[in-house]
Amino acid sequence: MSNLRNSNYYFVAVNYGTSRLIKEWALNIREITINPSLVLVDNYKSDDERIKVIKLCEELNIKLIKNINNGYGSAINFALKEIESEDKNEKIYFAGNLDVIYKSIPLDLNNYNTCYIPKVKEGSRANRNPFLTKLQSKFYKNFIYAATSKSNKKYMLLVMINKLIGYIPSKIWTVHGSLFIFGSKILTNGEIFNNKSFLYMEELEFGMFLEKNNVSLHSSNVVAEHISHVSTNDIVASRDKYINLWADSFLNWKERWMKK
C-alpha cells in the first residue's frame, strides 16, 4: 500500500508565461511525496507558450487544463470544478503558484473538512503565515478608502497600520496566497475564489470563505518557499497597475461578502 500514500494529494498550479518553472515544480513535488496528482491550469499568454506547456505536461505526466487568462483565483476555481467532476473521492488540495518550492510535506494530512496552515518562507521572512489575523481582518474594511480613490498613498498607510495591528495577539484568519491547502469537502459550500477578480485579494476571499462556512484552520508540518513575484512579474509591472488591479478585486470582495 505504500505506493498509495499520497494518492489523495492533488497539487494544482496556475501558469501564465512561466513554463520555465513547470519541470522544477513537478520534480520537486514528486521527490518528497508518493503518487501525487499534478494539475496545471494554463492561463493563455501566447501560442508559443501554450505549445511549450502542452509538451512539458505530456513529458511530465501532468494533467493540463487549458484556460483563457481570466486571473489567478478564477483559474483555481475552474480547475477544482473540473477535478471534482472527474474524481469524487476525498482529497487534499495544494493550490497555488508554480514559484513554490516544497521543503516538507507530511504523509498524513487526512482531514477533508479543514484548511491546513503551511509555513511559507519568502525572501528574508521566515514565515508569511498568518497572512492576516482575525483582528487584522476586522480592520481591512477600512481599505475601502484606498480602493475607491485608487490611491497608493492611502493604500500604503493602511498597510502600515494593519502591520502594526498584526503585533497584537490574535488567531490566524487567512493564509498567504502562494499556497492554499484544504480538504475537498469544503467545496460543497461553493466556489472559494471570486470569478470577477483578475488578481489579488485571493487571501481575503479564502479567509471570508472559511469564516462564512465555519471551516477551521489547522497547523501542519508543510514547509515551502515562495520565490516572490516570479508568477506576477509579467502582469504587474508598476505600482499604478498594481493598485488598479487590487482596487477592483477589493470592491469585488466587498460586493460578494459585505452585502447587507
Side-chain angles (χ1 to χ4, degrees), residues 176-216:
H176 188 256
S178 60
L179 178 59
F180 301 98
I181 308 173
F182 52 90
S184 56
K185 282 188 176 181
I186 76 170
L187 298 174
T188 60
N189 298 302
E191 292 184 315
I192 296 175
F193 302 103
N194 198 321
N195 289 323
K196 292 183 178 180
S197 297
F198 183 76
L199 192 61
Y200 302 119
M201 291 293 295
E202 292 87 9
E203 296 94 344
L204 277 292
E205 294 285 351
F206 192 72
M208 194 61 79
F209 178 91
L210 300 184
E211 179 181 305
K212 295 294 186 182
N213 294 293
N214 297 311
V215 178
S216 59

Side-chain angles (χ1 to χ4, degrees), residues 23-128:
K23 186 173 183 177
E24 182 179 1
W25 172 76
L27 295 179
N28 167 233
I29 293 168
R30 289 189 171 129
E31 183 179 3
I32 56 175
T33 60
I34 303 170
N35 199 27
S37 296
L38 273 57
V39 180
L40 183 74
V41 189
D42 184 42
N43 277 355
Y44 180 86
K45 183 179 182 181
S46 69
D47 288 346
D48 286 344
E49 175 72 1
R50 178 60 59 83
I51 291 169
K52 291 177 184 177
V53 171
I54 291 171
K55 183 178 180 181
L56 283 164
C57 287
E58 289 175 349
E59 290 176 354
L60 297 165
N61 192 27
I62 300 170
K63 176 180 173 59
L64 173 61
I65 298 176
K66 300 174 185 177
N67 196 24
I68 60 174
N69 184 25
N70 55 3
Y72 179 50
S74 178
I76 295 176
N77 280 344
F78 186 55
L80 296 176
K81 186 175 182 179
E82 181 161 328
I83 294 166
E84 288 297 306
S85 70
E86 296 176 353
D87 182 358
K88 304 298 183 182
N89 295 312
E90 296 174 342
K91 55 189 79 68
I92 299 294
Y93 283 108
F94 297 72
N97 292 326
L98 279 170
D99 54 1
V100 169
I101 302 170
Y102 292 92
K103 304 296 185 179
S104 174
I105 300 175
L107 302 177
D108 58 353
L109 302 182
N110 56 16
N111 187 334
Y112 304 106
N113 284 303
T114 197
C115 163
Y116 286 102
I117 307 165
K119 179 179 179 181
V120 179
K121 184 181 185 300
E122 185 181 74
S124 61
R125 302 179 70 169
N127 191 4
R128 292 291 271 119

Side-chain angles (χ1 to χ4, degrees), residues 130 132-136 165-173:
L132 287 179
T133 65
K134 289 189 175 182
L135 194 57
Q136 286 176 304
I165 294 172
Y167 288 104
I168 302 172
S170 180
K171 291 183 178 180
I172 184 171
W173 185 72

